[in-house]
Each structure stands twice: as C-alpha cells, then as structure tokens.
C-alpha cells in the first residue's frame, strides 16, 4: 500500500528573481560616476579653473597690452608697405614673416618677424602706429591666433600646466572623461527625478526638488548644475580632444580618411592664375614661374587690394612671398562675429589671383571644426563667448566641489569613509550585454586611449573582485 503524498510537503526554494536590466544598468552607471568623480574630478577641476582663466584671456589681453594694440594718434594712415618698412627699420636683424594691417581707426599694425630666440610657433611682433609710423613696442606673438605673453602663459597653463608634453596627459585625461562623466550624471539625474515624480508628483530636471536638506540638498544642487551645463561640457570635451596627443592624432586620421580636412590655398606660381575679380578684373597675365617682379614689401598694398576685391577683407594676415616661385597669401583672421576664414594667393605684379580658397566652399565638417575651435578659444562671439565659457567653468568647479561634499556628508552620516555604490552590476547583466559593454570600452580605448583603457581595466577588475568576494567560503 503506497503512502499518499502530503500536500504540505515543502518545495525547493525558487531562485531569486534577477533585477530588471534598467535597474542593473543604473547601478553600473552610478558606480562608474562615483569613481570617475573621486579619481578624475581633480583633473577636471584643474582644467576648469585654468580654462576659466584662459576663457577671458582675449579680452584681458586688450587691456593689458593696450599701449601696443591701440593708438590715440590721428591723421591719415600711411601705406602698409611704409608701415612694414618702419618695423624693418626697428628690427633690421630679423626676417619678415607676416603682417596684420590695422583694421579700424585707433588700431596698430602688427608686423611679425621670424626670431630664432623665441620658441616654436612664436614670432616677434612689432607694433606700428599707422599714422606716425612710430614703433609702439615689441612682444612675442604665439600661434595663428597671435596670442600675446599673458594669453600664451594661460594657454599653456590650461594645456599642460607648463610641464611640456608630459603635462598634456592631464588635459587629455580631463577631456577624455568629461563627456562620460557629464552623460552619466545626466542619466542618473533623469532617473532620480523620474523616481521622485512617481513617488510624490514633484521634481524638475532644471530646478530640482524643493524642500531638501543635508546631503539631499547637496545632491540636488549638483544634479541641477550638471544638467544646465551638460551640452556645453560635451562640446568642450569634443573640441578639446582635437588638440590632445593621442585622441587628437586619431581625430586627424579620421578627418583625412573622410576628406574633412581644412582646405588650404596654393601659393605656388607654377600654374596659370585665375582672373582677378572686382575692380581688378581683366588685368591678368599668365604666370611663368619667375615670381613677382616687384619688391615683396612694395607689393603688399597691391596684394591687399586684389584680396579685398575678391571678398577676402576685414582683419587679415598678409604673408609675403618666400621666394620668386611663391605668391602673396592673404588670409582672414579669426575675429569675433565673423564665421568666414577665406584666403587667397595673389601676384600683384600681374594683378592676378593665383588661387582662391573661399570658406563657403569648405566641407561642412571642416567648417564645424573651425567654428568649434573658435568657440572653444572664446573668439567667435567675443566677450559674450568668453563670459559663457567662464560661467560654465565656474559652474563645473562648483559641481565638482558639491560632488565631493556629498561624499563627505555620506561619510559623516555613517561614521566612516563614504562607501561606493554596490559593485557587481556588470556581472548581473545578460552575458551578451556585458560582452558588448567590454567590447565597446576596448573600441573607445583604441580611439580615446586615456578613457577606454582605464574604463576597460576598471570594469574587468571590478567584476573579478566582486565575483571573488561574493564566492561562498568552503
């Protein structure tokens, strides 16, 4: 006779239900954001402080070097050639490199010379009063933007802390992680506000949650500031990486492969010139390769006239011929409220246009790159651009300090060092998704090494450490 099975016989316990993928990803992002905040935020804070100083450097330069950049003299301006000869008389020992003719009344003309005693990409600028031809001083002028000593010093402080190539790793590390920290913070803030709305019906992404105190208030302010400046931070990260050592090289290779490089003007006098436009139309001769038949300095005013007739006007840089096979180059400089940087090669001895590089004909990617550089440097919209960058850098600094304060407040509440969010999120995700995240980190590591490789190492080590600690003791 068989024994009946009792209905009260206990069943084996059901396996614990796995957390939703969204919640698990939230844990992963939270842990990454925490560690990036603790370990990377110091580099971001240094970049923000130095970036805030550099943001206002172009306007500060106008005040600091007013005696060289501006003049109170009145009267008609002499020809640009006469101004250049005045500068050459002041520095007969140096070779003429380029000229920045005065644009508005009260501006000086900047005559640039090659000076072997100066550093790389630095020329000596002699400032000439257009009316009196008097030299108003000499200063080193750095790069195509013509940064004077104070702006150059702040530029290098922001770029490499005056440590040279090794110092550039700090700024590349900051730029590499900035976008990930910003996006991660925005994602966490969105999820927190959504949770708050479901629970209480209140909360705003841009205004936060009212009535909070203690650590909740600190986190609230940290999140609101982060959301307000997130878009600008992404832009600063993307444009900053183009100047970096490792990621910048990959950006350059990508632009070359996609034909997104910036077009340049051909100043060689080996081919037939185009016909000059405007008032100079119909007065051209075929180029023979023998170069200008007039003195280079004497031809500067003619080169400027042809350039202006063809729309290359305003604030420009004139580069005289380096030899008999080279034409004058006239290129628009980066100045506030002008999006175009067209350039032209001309041969004033024949009243001819050798080559014309119009900004309107550039590929869209090249235009975006040029605009991005100008915005990042605070040049495109002048003081307004600089004040926006200054405000964002100050806001980023405050957000970083608030992040550390929230960590400290957690420590004060628990009477220990603030604990990190729980690990194990990557291990708890489906295997295909975990593998995709690791492969993605490796791919990012190839393009942005100072982000992808540390990220991959963190994910692997964190997952392995979590697995070891969670293994039951035998």
């Amino acid at each position: 006779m068989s024994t009946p099975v009792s209905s009260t016989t206990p069943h084996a316990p059901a396996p614990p239900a796995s957390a939703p993928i969204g919640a698990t990803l939230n844990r992963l992002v939270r842990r990454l954001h925490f560690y990036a905040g603790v370990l990377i935020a110091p580099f971001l804070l240094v970049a923000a402080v130095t970036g805030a100083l550099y943001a206002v450097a172009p306007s500060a330069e106008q005040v600091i070097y007013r005696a060289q950049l501006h003049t109170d003299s009145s009267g008609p301006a002499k020809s640009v050639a006469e101004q250049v000869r005045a500068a050459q008389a002041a520095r007969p020992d140096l070779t003429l490199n380029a000229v920045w003719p005065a644009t508005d009344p009260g501006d000086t003309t900047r005559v640039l010379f090659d000076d072997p005693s100066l550093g790389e990409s630095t020329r000596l600028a002699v400032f000439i009063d257009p009316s009196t031809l008097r030299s108003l001083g000499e200063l080193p002028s750095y790069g195509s933007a013509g940064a004077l000593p104070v702006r150059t010093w702040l530029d290098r402080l922001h770029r490499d802390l005056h440590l040279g190539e090794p110092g550039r790793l700090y700024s590349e590390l900051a730029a590499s992680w900035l976008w990930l920290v910003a996006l991660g913070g925005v994602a966490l803030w969105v999820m927190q506000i959504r949770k708050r709305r479901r629970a209480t019906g209140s909360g705003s992404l841009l205004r936060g949650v009212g009535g909070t105190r203690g650590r909740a208030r600190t986190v609230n302010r940290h999140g609101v500031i982060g959301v307000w400046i997130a878009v600008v931070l992404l832009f600063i990260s993307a444009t900053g990486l183009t100047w970096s050592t490792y990621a910048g090289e990959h950006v350059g290779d990508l632009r070359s492969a996609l034909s997104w490089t910036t077009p340049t003007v051909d100043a060689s006098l080996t081919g037939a010139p185009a016909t000059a436009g405007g008032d100079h139309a119909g007065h051209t001769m075929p180029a023979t390769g023998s170069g200008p038949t007039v003195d280079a300095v004497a031809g500067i005013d003619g080169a400027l006239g042809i350039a202006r007739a063809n729309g290359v006007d305003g604030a420009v840089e004139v580069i005289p011929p380096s030899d008999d096979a080279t034409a004058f180059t006239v290129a628009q400089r980066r100045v506030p409220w002008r999006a175009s940087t067209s350039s032209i090669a001309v041969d004033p001895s024949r009243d001819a246009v050798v080559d014309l590089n119009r900004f309107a004909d550039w590929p869209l990617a090249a235009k975006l790159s040029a605009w991005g550089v100008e915005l990042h440097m605070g040049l495109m919209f002048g003081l307004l651009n600089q004040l926006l960058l200054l405000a964002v850098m100050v806001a980023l600094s405050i957000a970083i300090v608030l992040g550390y304060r929230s960590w400290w407040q957690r420590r004060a509440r628990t009477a220990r060092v603030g604990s990190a969010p729980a690990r194990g999120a990557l291990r708890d995700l489906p295997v295909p998704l975990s593998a995709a995240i690791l492969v993605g980190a490796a791919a990012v590591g190839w393009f942005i090494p100072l982000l992808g490789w540390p990220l991959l190492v963190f994910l692997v080590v964190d997952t392995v450490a979590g697995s070891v600690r969670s293994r039951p003791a035998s």
Side-chain angles (χ1 to χ4, degrees), residues 88 96 124 234 313 353 398 421 442 455 472:
Q88 288 178 317
L96 178 65
L124 183 70
L234 295 178
D313 51 13
V353 175
I398 293 172
L455 176 61

Side-chain angles (χ1 to χ4, degrees), residues 414-434:
T414 59
R416 60 179 182 177
V417 174
S419 59
R423 60 161 51 93
L426 186 65
R427 185 186 64 235
D428 295 341
L429 289 172
V431 173
L433 182 54
S434 297

Side-chain angles (χ1 to χ4, degrees), residues 359-372:
F359 185 82
D361 298 330
W362 287 17
L364 177 60
K367 291 180 181 178
L368 293 176
S369 177
W371 292 333

Side-chain angles (χ1 to χ4, degrees), residues 321-339:
S322 58
D323 52 45
D324 288 341
T326 308
F328 280 88
T329 298
V330 182
Q332 291 177 322
R333 295 189 282 112
R334 293 169 176 164
V335 294
W337 304 101
R338 185 176 69 186

Side-chain angles (χ1 to χ4, degrees), residues 119-183:
E120 184 181 0
S121 301
T122 304
R123 300 171 289 185
L124 183 70
V126 177
F127 299 87
I128 299 297
D129 185 324
S131 299
T132 66
L133 300 182
R134 185 167 59 94
S135 172
L136 300 181
E138 303 174 2
L139 291 170
S141 176
Y142 176 76
S144 60
L148 298 179
V150 168
R151 179 152 59 122
T152 301
W153 192 90
L154 291 174
D155 173 33
R156 289 174 176 165
L157 178 69
H158 179 57
R159 182 175 53 184
D160 60 21
L161 302 179
H162 292 279
L163 298 175
E165 281 301 315
R168 294 184 66 184
L169 294 177
Y170 115 83
S171 57
E172 182 166 358
L173 185 69
S176 298
W177 280 86
L178 179 57
W179 69 271
L180 186 64
V181 172
L183 286 179

Side-chain angles (χ1 to χ4, degrees), residues 252-471:
D253 292 341
L254 178 63
R255 291 183 61 193
S256 297
L258 298 176
S259 299
W260 288 352
T261 53
T262 301
T264 57
V265 68
D266 182 6
S268 172
L269 287 174
T270 57
T275 302
D279 295 335
H280 295 262
H283 300 283
T284 64
M285 295 174 59
T288 62
S290 60
T293 59
V294 297
D295 176 73
V297 175
I300 286 179
D301 292 280
L304 279 168
I306 297 174
R308 288 166 182 157
N310 285 273
V312 183
D313 51 13
V316 297
E317 177 179 74
V318 184
I319 302 176
S322 58
D323 52 45
D324 288 341
T326 308
F328 280 88
T329 298
V330 182
Q332 291 177 322
R333 295 189 282 112
R334 293 169 176 164
V335 294
W337 304 101
R338 185 176 69 186
S340 168
T341 50
S342 300
S343 56
I344 189 171
V346 300
D347 182 357
S349 68
R350 298 175 178 82
D351 207 9
V353 175
V354 176
D355 190 25
L356 179 58
N357 176 22
R358 292 195 183 278
F359 185 82
D361 298 330
W362 287 17
L364 177 60
K367 291 180 181 178
L368 293 176
S369 177
W371 292 333
V373 167
E374 292 186 56
L375 286 168
H376 190 112
M377 295 176 68
L379 299 178
M380 191 162 190
F381 300 115
L383 183 60
L384 179 64
N385 193 165
Q386 295 158 32
L387 292 177
L388 173 63
L389 290 174
L390 175 63
V392 171
M393 291 300 97
V394 171
L396 175 59
S397 301
I398 293 172
I400 291 171
V401 172
L402 289 173
Y404 277 110
R405 184 166 188 262
S406 71
W407 185 34
W408 177 261
Q409 287 173 317
R410 177 186 294 179
R411 172 188 181 277
R413 187 180 62 202
T414 59
R416 60 179 182 177
V417 174
S419 59
R423 60 161 51 93
L426 186 65
R427 185 186 64 235
D428 295 341
L429 289 172
V431 173
L433 182 54
S434 297
I437 292 174
L438 294 175
V439 170
V444 171
W446 173 83
F447 196 79
I448 311 177
L450 294 190
L451 168 62
W453 297 128
L455 176 61
L456 181 62
V457 169
F458 170 80
L459 292 172
V460 171
V461 171
D462 196 56
T463 300
V464 172
S467 299
V468 171
R469 292 190 179 186
S470 62
R471 185 179 301 167

